[in-house]
Amino acid sequence: MAKNTKANNTNGHMNRREILRQQQAAQARRKRTITVVCIALAVVVVIAAVALIVTHVNSVNHQKNTAGAATAQIKPPDLTSDGTAIIVNPAAKDAALTIDVHEDFQCPICKSFEDTFGSAMNQIIDNNQALVRYHVRSFLDINENNDWSNLAAQGAMCADTVGKFKPYHDTVFANQPAVEGTGYTNQELSTTFAQQAGITGDDLTKFQACYNNHQTSQVVSTMESLNMSAGVQGTPAFFVNGKSIDLQTLAGLKSNDAATLLAAFQKAAGLS
Amino acid sequence: MHPRSATAWQTWVTLVARVIIGASLLYAGLLKIGNLPKSVTAVRAYELPWPDWMIHAIGYSLPIIEIVLGAALIVGLFTRWMAVLGALAMIVYIIGIASAWARGLDIDCGCFTPGGALPPGQEPKYLEDILRDIGFLICGVWTVLFPDGRFSVDRWIAGPAPDDDPEPEPAS
């Protein structure tokens, strides 16, 4: 060690004293190293433990908030056979064009799309110019650290049981809070939005029982995991006859009327 | 080379370099630690051809590793080895971002944000991310080369330096 050179030049007496001094210094260093390593390890263990506990508690809460009690699950009537989407116009099953829309109720860009093209979509749907499937996604719950994508999706699935999927869907997007991550309330999802979507009387009672008992929780979580596994990781996402169409293309359209939107979809599908 | 052979100005540069890369790692880790599932989503967005358990393992452990490396570098504990790991992490991040760029993925790198797939219409900032990580890498490499810096736990462990030795130089 370079440290020794200074002492080595002097006599043996100095050397022994120096060696002893260095041994003591080395021992002190070892002690300090052990102390520091122990403190560091303890800190690491605490951080990891806290992180894992927080993660676990969050996941338990998410489960509790979204799954509810072990109630009978309801399958929405318009669910596709593979469970990845809701068909909003089954009457259009022979249409040459199929439009797949992936949306998460907490996604702000999805709201922009709905605000701009929502009515055009409804015309295409009502005229059966395309078979339209809505893939109701709920992965934003992870980002927002809440349960509102999942719960809004449950509301939409319950609305389908009373034939009001699309009006409910439109109502939720129309009322999406301006600040991303604010989420919705149970009051809104179970009552306000349902009434605005035209669910009344016995249907409202049926809808609320479905929503309050989380009777579509499995459909929602399965729908999310199937679509995620299929590789659609972001929303909004659009597919026309299986081909992806860029939101940029839609945003660049000169008009937001149904004819323009339909033409863009047909072009992307290679139909025109 | 004895670590203390660094000159005074080098030890100051090391302090700055160590704190820059350490703080960036610590900050990145703290942002992710509160929501580990989100960290998994961010890793998944890179669409790596690895099994899901590996994506989960990376997503869960990365924030913890970042915090440990970051904190150790800031206080100057085992500085050289922590700087080696920190620099390696930066190299891995740069490769990851470059590969996402090359494959045309539209993702947020997940470096200092939740990450994940970007909504359409939002352009990824791969070049900025890579340049920033190269900056951190340079800090890391400097710290590997000159690990002895001011105000470090390493210095406290090493005890008083020979230069600070109160004993007078023996007369020859």
Side-chain angles (χ1 to χ4, degrees), chain B residues 84-162:
Chain B
V84 167
L85 294 175
L88 280 177
M90 289 303 159
I91 291 170
V92 170
Y93 298 160
I94 291 167
I95 292 173
I97 298 166
S99 108
W101 194 0
R103 285 176 293 153
L105 299 180
D106 278 347
I107 61 172
D108 176 339
C109 74
C111 309
F112 294 100
T113 52
L118 275 175
Q122 203 172 325
E123 286 297 315
K125 291 179 287 210
Y126 296 123
L127 187 61
E128 285 170 43
D129 290 335
I130 289 178
L131 290 177
R132 187 200 53 217
D133 282 358
I134 288 175
F136 293 141
L137 177 61
I138 291 169
C139 290
V141 170
W142 172 278
T143 311
V144 173
L145 294 177
F146 306 101
D148 181 37
R150 299 275 157 171
F151 310 118
S152 66
V153 177
D154 282 345
R155 280 198 161 189
W156 179 74
I157 290 176

Side-chain angles (χ1 to χ4, degrees), chain B residues 11-126:
Chain B
T11 64
W12 285 108
V13 176
T14 296
L15 172 66
V16 172
R18 184 184 96 198
V19 168
I20 288 175
I21 184 174
S24 72
L25 285 166
L26 182 66
Y27 179 63
L30 286 176
L31 277 184
K32 288 175 250 182
I33 193 86
N35 194 339
L36 294 175
K38 186 153 72 179
S39 169
V40 174
T41 316
V43 177
R44 186 174 287 135
Y46 282 87
E47 294 180 19
L48 301 165
W50 300 337
D52 207 49
W53 65 264
M54 239 161 114
I55 305 294
H56 269 89
I58 296 170
Y60 273 84
S61 58
L62 203 57
I64 297 172
I65 293 172
E66 285 177 334
I67 289 175
V68 170
L69 288 182
L73 281 167
I74 289 174
V75 301
L77 172 62
F78 308 134
T79 312
R80 174 166 273 170
W81 293 109
M82 294 298 155
V84 167
L85 294 175
L88 280 177
M90 289 303 159
I91 291 170
V92 170
Y93 298 160
I94 291 167
I95 292 173
I97 298 166
S99 108
W101 194 0
R103 285 176 293 153
L105 299 180
D106 278 347
I107 61 172
D108 176 339
C109 74
C111 309
F112 294 100
T113 52
L118 275 175
Q122 203 172 325
E123 286 297 315
K125 291 179 287 210
Y126 296 123

Side-chain angles (χ1 to χ4, degrees), chain A residues 27-249:
Chain A
Q27 206 171 10
R29 269 202 301 278
R30 257 200 307 279
K31 233 172 109 177
R32 286 194 291 264
T33 307
I34 291 167
T35 311
V36 168
V37 168
C38 286
I39 294 171
L41 281 179
V43 170
V44 171
V45 169
V46 168
I47 292 172
V50 169
L52 291 176
I53 289 169
V54 167
T55 304
H56 181 70
V57 168
N58 281 344
S59 108
V60 167
N61 281 340
H62 181 74
Q63 284 283 323
K64 202 170 67 192
N65 292 342
T66 58
T71 42
Q73 290 289 306
I74 296 174
K75 198 176 132 191
D78 297 315
L79 188 69
T80 57
S81 55
D82 62 2
T84 58
I86 294 287
I87 300 172
V88 290
N89 54 351
K93 65 180 187 322
D94 296 323
L97 187 64
T98 300
I99 303 172
D100 285 288
V101 181
H102 291 251
E103 288 175 331
D104 185 305
F105 282 120
Q106 288 197 92
C107 148
I109 319 258
C110 302
K111 178 179 167 57
S112 308
F113 171 78
E114 289 297 329
D115 288 348
T116 310
F117 292 110
S119 63
M121 283 299 292
N122 280 335
Q123 279 185 50
I124 293 171
I125 291 164
D126 293 340
N127 295 332
N128 294 329
Q129 286 160 312
L131 179 72
V132 181
R133 299 188 289 218
Y134 278 86
H135 301 249
V136 182
R137 307 296 301 272
S138 45
F139 62 90
L140 282 179
D141 280 349
I142 296 173
N143 283 15
E144 310 301 353
N145 218 353
N146 64 33
D147 312 304
W148 296 114
S149 293
N150 185 307
L151 291 170
Q154 289 189 32
M157 297 299 138
C158 290
D160 190 52
T161 66
V162 293
K164 293 277 197 239
F165 171 84
K166 195 60 176 41
Y168 186 90
H169 160 279
D170 295 353
T171 306
V172 177
F173 273 116
N175 290 289
Q176 189 189 72
V179 177
E180 184 180 358
T182 308
Y184 304 96
T185 65
N186 273 318
Q187 171 67 24
E188 286 177 325
L189 293 174
S190 73
T191 311
T192 325
F193 294 169
Q195 285 168 338
Q196 279 181 40
I199 304 173
T200 53
D202 285 352
D203 277 355
L204 185 61
T205 313
K206 188 179 162 191
F207 166 85
Q208 288 179 330
C210 171
Y211 178 82
N212 292 333
N213 295 317
H214 301 290
Q215 286 183 286
T216 55
S217 62
Q218 303 224 320
V219 174
V220 168
S221 57
T222 308
M223 189 175 285
E224 173 52 35
S225 57
L226 287 173
N227 283 299
M228 187 58 89
S229 316
V232 186
Q233 299 195 349
T235 55
F238 307 90
F239 298 88
V240 282
N241 288 356
K243 292 194 202 85
S244 170
I245 173 167
D246 211 329
L247 189 71
Q248 251 87 308
T249 312

